[in-house]
Amino acid sequence: MFSNAKGFVRTYQNFIGGEWVGAQSGARFQNNNPADKREIVADYPQSGEADARAAIEAARAAQGGWGAQTPVARGRVLSKMSEILAGRKNELAELLTREEGKTLAESQGEVQRAIDIFRFFGGLSYTIGGQTIPHDLPGNLLYTTREPVGIVALVTPWNFPIAIPAWKLAPALISGNAVVIKPASQAPSMTVELAKAAGEAGLPKGVLNVVIGDGRAVGGELARNAHVAALSFTGSYSVGNVVYKQLADRMARAQMEMGGKNPTIVLADADLDLAVNLVARAGFGLTGQACTATSRVIVEQSVADAFAQKLAAKAKSLKIGNGLTQGIEMGPAVSEKQLQGNLEYIGIAQKEGAQLVTGGNRLSSGDFANGWFMEPTVLANVKPTHRIACEEVFGPVIAVLRAADFNEAMQLANGVDVGLSASIVTRDLKKAMVYAEKIQAGVVKINQISTGLALQAPFGGVKKSSTDSFKEQGAGAIDFYTRIKTVYLDYSA
């Protein structure tokens, strides 16, 4: 069990071929608690290309045997993983909060999501297969089968350090692929803990390999290596675009999820208190560190001032602090670099003419002295050309834009080059349905927060948010991890 005592540091290794091994270079690094940087949470190997190649070779050796098992046999392993994770939920949630910074309640919800994902795909194993298709000739059978694509690489971010690895890993494994996963260096512990659960559940050695370390070296090898048949990535557009081109050069399968600039439209007929609560939860919850977070609110002109003031009051009321403390509603940024980036965007917005309604400052005194904390921030009078209205900040910063009417609000909502999640708050059913039809986003929420996803439903974006060729989550997630083979059988003779 994880000790709360100061000075206890977890030591982790790579998981390659069923063995715990350090980086071949011997290099290591440590992660600190974002709420109290004096506390070292864990120590990790700083891996490179050679370690990634070793993991790929281990996956190659294990692929045939795992792929030959039936989906139901593979599903039993995933179901067992779910049980093991459920038994360790509280321990894992505490560790997640210490390393990534979100509140304990948020961490518990995320660990539960991982538990549910493995249970879902374990059950789905009974339905994985092909289909029988009517043939146009008598005495002929036409059908399809599903086969694993082979070695799959997964590159995952730090903001959902157990949920995102789980929603990539579960469909990859249930489809019969061997996997090499590279978690983000800011919060790798959860991925290693998933590997532990997989080993305890009976996953054969080499089917799952974890390599921790430098993103460019490890991720670059995974993208370039000829033995990697497919790669699923979640992260920034700048990195995802590079990885996508590397995969395209060798015609490997690619799945890229790369963030958004998610709008919430608030119409004049909306319940403003409801709208404020929804926007605050979606924009300040998880410290704004979610790809589906509301980062811009487009408010109909007649209620824009009232909405901004209500949102500012809500922001001021939030309890900020160490996520392990009961009652805390917003934790720290994940790192000093992330915090400074958030504050820089606020400064740029003010220089461009946005009005700082509340927040905008680092919190650095008292209980905040040793953490990466900032005030939840509301900016008003934001113009669509301002960078704060177009670029992903990934922090608790909400930009409020004005629109003359619903039509202008729609134009503003669609006026960026990304489209992941979008929401609207209104009592007008017709406008809500027009919004659902016309908004350029992969996820649409009506009178709901822009964050939060059903694990049984497909997820993905449009424009620069996603490659849009394969969806994540839900039963359709296995499409990325399987190939369809079509079989023609003539038994007429």
Side-chain angles (χ1 to χ4, degrees):
M1 296 293 288
F2 179 66
S3 171
N4 292 341
K6 292 272 188 180
F8 179 84
V9 180
R10 286 179 179 251
T11 300
Y12 286 110
Q13 304 281 30
N14 291 325
F15 188 61
I16 298 176
E19 305 295 331
W20 298 103
V21 296
Q24 293 186 29
S25 68
R28 301 190 68 82
F29 70 95
Q30 295 177 329
N31 278 350
N32 302 83
N33 185 338
D36 186 349
K37 59 190 175 184
R38 296 171 299 179
E39 178 186 353
I40 300 172
V41 177
D43 182 275
Y44 298 99
Q46 182 67 280
S47 306
E49 294 178 2
D51 304 289
R53 285 193 293 270
I56 293 167
E57 289 304 311
R60 288 183 68 197
Q63 172 62 50
W66 180 245
Q69 293 195 28
T70 66
V72 172
R74 298 191 291 258
R76 292 192 183 106
V77 175
L78 267 64
S79 295
K80 183 64 175 177
M81 285 181 66
S82 177
E83 295 173 7
I84 293 168
L85 294 171
R88 299 180 58 203
K89 178 180 176 179
N90 291 336
E91 172 198 354
L92 294 176
E94 181 180 321
L95 176 57
L96 196 163
T97 291
R98 288 185 176 277
E99 185 165 52
E100 193 270 347
K102 63 185 60 174
T103 69
L104 186 59
E106 291 167 341
S107 293
Q108 288 172 334
E110 183 178 343
V111 174
Q112 185 62 52
R113 169 57 66 96
I115 293 166
D116 293 342
I117 286 169
F118 285 105
R119 181 181 295 119
F120 174 83
F121 281 99
L124 191 71
S125 66
Y126 286 90
T127 70
I128 294 175
Q131 62 178 141
T132 302
I133 304 168
H135 202 287
D136 52 348
L137 297 175
N140 280 261
L141 180 63
L142 179 59
Y143 66 96
T144 65
T145 61
R146 284 188 181 269
E147 296 179 344
V149 297
I151 309 303
V152 169
L154 309 177
V155 179
T156 59
W158 50 262
N159 61 319
F160 288 99
I162 193 168
I164 293 180
W167 82 46
K168 292 180 187 293
L169 182 59
L173 291 178
I174 202 67
S175 299
N177 303 287
V179 174
V180 180
I181 183 169
K182 195 210 88 65
S185 294
Q186 292 94 328
S189 65
M190 291 295 100
T191 300
V192 184
E193 296 296 342
L194 286 179
K196 287 182 181 180
E200 293 175 28
L203 188 72
K205 291 184 177 182
V207 173
L208 172 59
N209 305 274
V210 181
V211 183
I212 304 164
D214 182 72
R216 183 170 296 182
V218 176
E221 180 63 32
L222 296 178
R224 293 187 302 266
N225 194 293
H227 299 299
V228 175
L231 188 149
S232 179
F233 167 91
T234 298
S236 69
Y237 176 79
S238 59
V239 176
N241 188 40
V242 172
V243 174
Y244 183 70
K245 290 176 180 177
Q246 291 172 323
L247 294 164
D249 281 344
R250 58 186 188 83
M251 299 182 69
R253 190 174 291 194
Q255 182 180 64
M256 304 281 118
E257 294 295 343
M258 297 171 289
K261 189 65 182 173
N262 310 299
T264 293
I265 290 179
V266 178
L267 296 182
D269 65 16
D271 179 333
L272 286 192
D273 290 329
L274 171 64
V276 165
N277 285 330
L278 294 175
V279 168
R281 286 171 57 199
F284 301 138
L286 303 163
T287 320
Q289 297 175 151
C291 58
T292 54
T294 293
S295 56
R296 55 194 179 114
V297 190
I298 303 165
V299 189
E300 207 163 358
Q301 180 77 31
S302 61
V303 295
D305 289 338
F307 174 86
Q309 291 304 317
K310 283 177 175 287
L311 182 60
K314 182 67 175 179
K316 291 176 183 178
S317 74
L318 295 177
K319 295 181 180 178
I320 305 164
N322 190 319
L324 293 175
T325 303
Q326 187 174 5
I328 292 298
E329 297 170 284
M330 193 183 92
V334 72
S335 66
E336 177 73 23
K337 180 180 178 181
Q338 185 63 48
L339 174 61
Q340 289 301 325
N342 297 342
L343 297 174
E344 286 173 13
Y345 263 109
I346 295 168
I348 292 169
Q350 290 178 279
K351 288 179 181 177
E352 291 183 334
Q355 174 195 354
L356 181 64
V357 183
T358 190
N361 298 306
R362 179 172 188 163
L363 298 171
S364 57
S365 62
D367 292 339
F368 303 120
N370 295 297
W372 297 305
F373 294 97
M374 67 174 287
E375 296 171 327
T377 300
V378 177
L379 293 160
N381 297 328
V382 174
K383 306 302 181 186
T385 55
H386 290 174
R387 287 180 61 186
I388 199 73
C390 307
E391 300 175 13
E392 188 174 41
V393 178
F394 225 63
V397 181
I398 298 177
V400 180
L401 293 80
R402 296 168 179 261
D405 52 26
F406 174 64
N407 290 332
E408 185 183 12
M410 285 294 302
Q411 292 174 1
L412 293 174
N414 287 332
V416 294
D417 60 2
V418 287
L420 186 56
S421 182
S423 61
I424 188 171
V425 188
T426 180
R427 291 186 174 98
D428 190 320
L429 179 59
K430 181 178 179 179
K431 288 178 179 176
M433 294 307 297
V434 170
Y435 183 77
E437 293 172 1
K438 301 298 184 182
I439 191 68
Q440 296 167 5
V443 176
V444 182
K445 299 290 196 74
I446 299 171
N447 295 326
Q448 296 185 29
I449 58 174
S450 63
T451 51
L453 304 166
L455 65 89
Q456 68 273 28
F459 169 68
V462 300
K463 305 187 202 179
K464 289 184 178 180
S465 285
S466 171
T467 45
D468 201 28
S469 50
F470 295 96
K471 295 293 186 181
E472 294 195 287
Q473 303 202 67
I478 64 169
D479 290 343
F480 178 71
Y481 300 101
T482 56
R483 290 193 182 95
I484 300 295
K485 179 179 284 184
T486 304
V487 180
Y488 294 78
L489 172 62
D490 186 337
Y491 61 90
S492 61

